[in-house]
Amino acid sequence: RMAQSSGERRLRAPFRLVAPVVLHLVDHVSKVSFVIATAVNSVVDHLVRTGNSIHARVSTNPYIRSVTQTAMRVETSVESTAKPYVDPVLGYVRPARPYLPAVLLAFIALLLPPAIFACSIFVLITMPFWLPLLFFTSIIWVPFVLFLVAAATVINFVILVRVLSRPWTQRKLNAVYDGVTGNWLFQTVVYDQ
């Protein structure tokens, strides 16, 4: 791709030495990544189709539908019962609603340092109790933490593959690549003048 974007210009000596290896490596990586992306996308698409079919079967189940209707009736009756008590208060809440996020953020910012300090003091005071407990129960929670880390890694990898295999992401990456390789500094460093 470098040769295509720069015409017939010659690479500088260090880049000339590593260019065949890099191009060979890029070719293999692109083949492997295509296989991985195809496998991950097919598995995720199959899981999405399976989840949609399960959701369709569950939502058409008569028992589930009757339970949902009962819950909706209970919610409606609670709302109608509480309406006379809630409506007078709403007149005061609605004008203050636009200011609530800023007030909540300021409240959290003010109370976070003392809360963290209080939690730290609590942890320090109770350390003789929970430290041995942590040590003796580590046979349970350490594998669980390792499993959570592995699961998060796999989920992040799948999300990364899904995002990077979309056509619009590839177009953006190609545009960034073309912008970098078309830059005068890149051309000056990589190619002979």
Side-chain angles (χ1 to χ4, degrees):
R1 188 161 173 168
M2 269 188 211
Q4 291 172 357
S5 66
S6 66
E8 294 299 320
R9 296 175 67 185
R10 244 173 72 124
L11 290 169
R12 291 184 186 255
F15 299 107
R16 229 183 350 242
L17 290 174
V18 296
V21 175
V22 169
L23 291 176
H24 184 72
L25 184 66
V26 166
D27 185 44
H28 281 300
V29 167
S30 67
K31 288 177 184 174
V32 169
S33 64
F34 177 75
V35 170
I36 290 173
T38 305
V40 166
N41 285 331
S42 64
V43 167
V44 170
D45 290 341
H46 175 71
L47 289 175
V48 167
R49 283 193 304 272
T50 305
N52 287 340
S53 68
I54 290 172
H55 178 265
R57 279 185 273 165
V58 166
S59 62
T60 58
N61 187 327
Y63 177 72
I64 299 290
R65 202 178 299 177
S66 70
V67 168
T68 304
Q69 289 172 349
T70 304
M72 294 298 283
R73 278 196 299 270
V74 167
E75 182 183 351
T76 307
S77 72
V78 167
E79 282 180 7
S80 63
T81 305
K83 189 173 176 93
Y85 304 107
V86 173
D87 274 347
V89 178
L90 286 180
Y92 300 106
V93 172
R94 281 194 188 107
R97 187 171 288 165
Y99 306 106
L100 281 179
V103 170
L104 281 174
L105 285 176
F107 192 67
I108 289 171
L110 284 175
L111 290 184
L112 198 59
I116 291 174
F117 181 71
C119 289
S120 302
I121 295 297
F122 179 76
V123 164
L124 188 66
I125 291 171
T126 60
M127 190 184 299
F129 171 74
W130 60 260
L131 206 56
L133 188 68
L134 235 88
F135 177 71
F136 292 125
T137 60
S138 64
I139 196 158
I140 297 167
W141 63 264
V142 168
F144 183 69
V145 167
L146 292 176
F147 171 75
L148 286 180
V149 168
T153 304
V154 169
I155 289 170
N156 287 331
F157 177 73
V158 167
I159 290 171
L160 181 70
V161 168
R162 292 288 283 186
V163 168
L164 290 180
S165 63
R166 292 183 176 157
W168 63 269
T169 309
Q170 291 177 355
R171 282 194 303 271
K172 283 190 176 194
L173 289 175
N174 285 337
V176 169
Y177 176 80
D178 291 339
V180 168
T181 56
N183 189 345
W184 67 270
L185 183 60
F186 180 85
Q187 298 286 331
T188 306
V189 170
V190 174
Y191 294 105
D192 281 335
Q193 299 304 321

